[in-house]
Every structure is written in C-alpha cells, then in structure tokens.
Amino acid sequence: MTSLLNVSNLSKSFIQHQGFFRKKEVMAFAPLSFDLERGETLAIVGESGSGKSTLAKVLTGVMKPTTGHIRIDGINHSVQQHEKRCKQIRMIFQDPNTSLNPRARIGRILEAPLSLNNSELTPEQTQQRIEDTLKKVGLLPEHEAFYPIMLSSSQKQRVALARALILDPKIIVADEVLATLDVSVRSQIINLVLQVQKERGISFIMVAHNIGIVRHISDKILVMHEGQMVEYGDTLQVLNDPQHIVTKRILLNQKIQIRK
C-alpha cells in the first residue's frame, strides 16, 4: 500500500557569495527520506539551526529542493506541479501576526487561496466554504468581517488553521505554531488540531520544540541536528529508548525522563 507522503533523498542547499568571484554551497539539510501515512502526525524536532523549518518550507513548496522527490499518493510533485501540491499540502506559519495580512479582513484572507487555486467555485460557493471553515475551527461567520488586530492569539491561530484547511488538503505542515502561545491557548489549539484530524483524516507534520507535546500528539518523530536526520521512528519508541546523543540531550535539556 502506498504511503500518503513519501519523501526520498530530499535536500536543500544555498549558494553563498563571498566577494565578487567566490561562491560557497551551504547545506541547510542533507538528503533525507521518510514516509507519512493517512491520519498520522509526524513531529520534526531539533535544536535551533538544525534545518527543521527549512525542511517544512521545502515540503510545502515555499522553497525548491536541491535534490530528491516528494510523492503524495504515489504522484511525484515536481516544481512544475506546484499548484496541485498547494491544494494537497498546506502550511501554517509560526507567527500569525506576520503571516496574516493586517490590512485584510479575515474573509478576504480565507478567500485568497480559493481564488488562486479553486476558480471553479461560484461566489456563493466560495462564501459558503469560508463560513463552513470558520465554524470548523471554532469561529463565527461574523469573524470574516474582522481584521487580525481585532482577534486574540487563539483566534489568530484558528484563522491560520482555517486558511490551511480551506482547500481541503491531505497534509498540513505546522511550523512551531504552539511556541508563542500561553498554556491555556496552546491546549485549545492542540485539541482543535486533534479534532480536525479525527474528523477529516488529515495528516500533520509538526515542527515542534516541546517534547511533552510531541509525545502527546505525534505518531512518528524525526530528529535533526546541523542539517542531518539523526533519528527517525515511532515517537514513543524513540523517546523511551533514544539511540543518538542529540535526542538524549534534547530530552535532558527539557528534563524528560527516558522510560526504559
């Protein structure tokens, strides 16, 4: 049976110019491979600068890969198929204060991906999709008339999730979306994500830092260090019996007890 997402030998490097004539290739992350099944959550963890956020951006098409393939339902989504991939794998950025246009009403923010990727919808169908999606993330239809500045932190993250959901994707990549939220708001967003996943069978890739949350919400974990994938597997197995010193150090720094 084909995995929903198959990532094969994916890598990303940048060319850094040093003076007028010299160039240096800087590796953001080395070739790596992993699979993700339908309805699963993969957590990508690592210390700052490990390459995890760059990997998230490559997966969603924000950045082009240097090498490798991204297959969704067995179909290789090359750069030329960017529009189709946009409908199937969506991204939630870390800070909604910068990712949501402060000068656009919420309705316009949610309408934008529809107009760019779903031109067959009538205006009436578009309006209905916006209202339905707002309800799914615990907001009211009236919120479409609001500007982001009028919303709380929790509501902004709900709008960010709604923008990702509105194209009915198969996979959502969330880049540290819980990092800046307080404990109560964080719990609300986690419960919302789990509810959406249960109802719609969406797979999530969560770039995360908090191992306690990772243990609670993820099925698989991928540990990165200086652009290398150093550990990958079942979350509980990896966290209860880590094999790499980096994984052990992350657990130690967060005072997470290893369960043998």
Side-chain angles (χ1 to χ4, degrees):
M1 184 175 177
T2 303
S3 297
L4 171 61
L5 175 68
N6 172 258
V7 174
S8 176
N9 294 315
L10 195 70
S11 73
K12 178 63 180 177
S13 59
F14 300 94
I15 299 298
Q16 190 176 81
H17 293 272
Q18 298 179 325
F20 289 105
F21 303 108
R22 295 177 59 195
K23 296 179 182 179
K24 179 183 178 182
E25 185 178 28
V26 179
M27 183 72 69
F29 61 87
L32 52 78
S33 303
F34 63 86
D35 294 322
L36 183 66
E37 305 300 331
R38 289 165 180 80
E40 280 190 338
T41 296
L42 167 69
I44 302 176
V45 303
E47 296 155 328
S48 179
S50 61
K52 55 187 186 294
S53 289
T54 303
L55 172 57
K57 292 174 183 176
V58 171
L59 290 172
T60 52
V62 176
M63 293 180 177
K64 297 178 182 179
T66 302
T67 66
H69 302 284
I70 298 170
R71 294 179 175 87
I72 301 175
D73 279 333
I75 299 173
N76 185 14
H77 286 261
S78 63
V79 177
Q80 288 74 26
Q81 295 171 308
H82 177 73
E83 182 178 344
K84 186 173 182 180
R85 180 167 53 166
C86 279
K87 296 180 182 180
Q88 298 194 339
I89 181 166
R90 303 286 293 164
M91 186 165 186
I92 305 175
F93 294 93
Q94 179 175 354
D95 186 2
N97 292 310
T98 56
S99 65
L100 300 178
N101 184 349
R103 289 183 287 274
R105 296 180 189 271
I106 302 306
R108 180 68 187 92
I109 290 172
L110 298 184
E111 190 270 337
L114 290 174
S115 63
L116 291 171
N117 297 282
N118 246 338
S119 57
E120 71 272 12
L121 291 179
T122 65
E124 292 77 17
Q125 290 172 326
T126 297
Q127 180 62 30
Q128 189 62 52
R129 178 78 69 90
I130 291 171
E131 293 180 8
D132 290 345
T133 306
L134 285 171
K135 291 177 184 177
K136 283 171 185 169
V137 299
L139 295 173
L140 300 172
E142 289 81 2
H143 280 115
E144 72 169 295
F146 285 39
Y147 288 96
I149 196 173
M150 301 165 68
L151 303 178
S152 67
S153 296
S154 172
Q155 289 172 325
K156 289 175 187 176
Q157 282 293 17
R158 289 169 188 266
V159 171
L161 178 58
R163 183 171 59 181
L165 285 171
I166 202 159
L167 291 179
D168 198 22
K170 297 177 180 179
I171 304 163
I172 290 179
V173 179
D175 185 11
E176 292 276 17
V177 298
L178 305 173
T180 59
L181 303 177
D182 62 43
V183 175
S184 61
V185 175
R186 188 184 302 161
S187 298
Q188 292 176 27
I189 299 301
I190 290 172
N191 290 335
L192 178 59
V193 166
L194 294 175
Q195 177 186 333
V196 167
Q197 187 172 45
K198 181 179 179 180
E199 291 176 353
R200 304 180 68 173
I202 294 173
S203 298
F204 279 84
I205 297 175
M206 307 283 288
V207 177
H209 173 75
N210 188 304
I211 297 299
I213 293 174
V214 166
R215 189 193 293 273
H216 175 60
I217 67 173
S218 69
D219 303 287
K220 294 177 180 176
I221 187 170
L222 189 159
V223 184
M224 298 187 69
H225 176 65
E226 295 183 350
Q228 302 283 338
M229 182 176 75
V230 297
E231 201 154 2
Y232 167 68
D234 175 82
T235 297
L236 293 181
Q237 182 177 336
V238 170
L239 296 183
N240 291 340
D241 187 22
Q243 300 300 303
H244 198 278
I245 188 171
V246 170
T247 312
K248 294 177 181 179
R249 185 167 65 229
I250 291 172
L251 293 173
L252 180 63
N253 288 342
Q254 295 192 34
K255 299 180 180 179
I256 304 294
Q257 185 175 2
I258 298 173
R259 303 172 187 173
K260 292 288 188 179

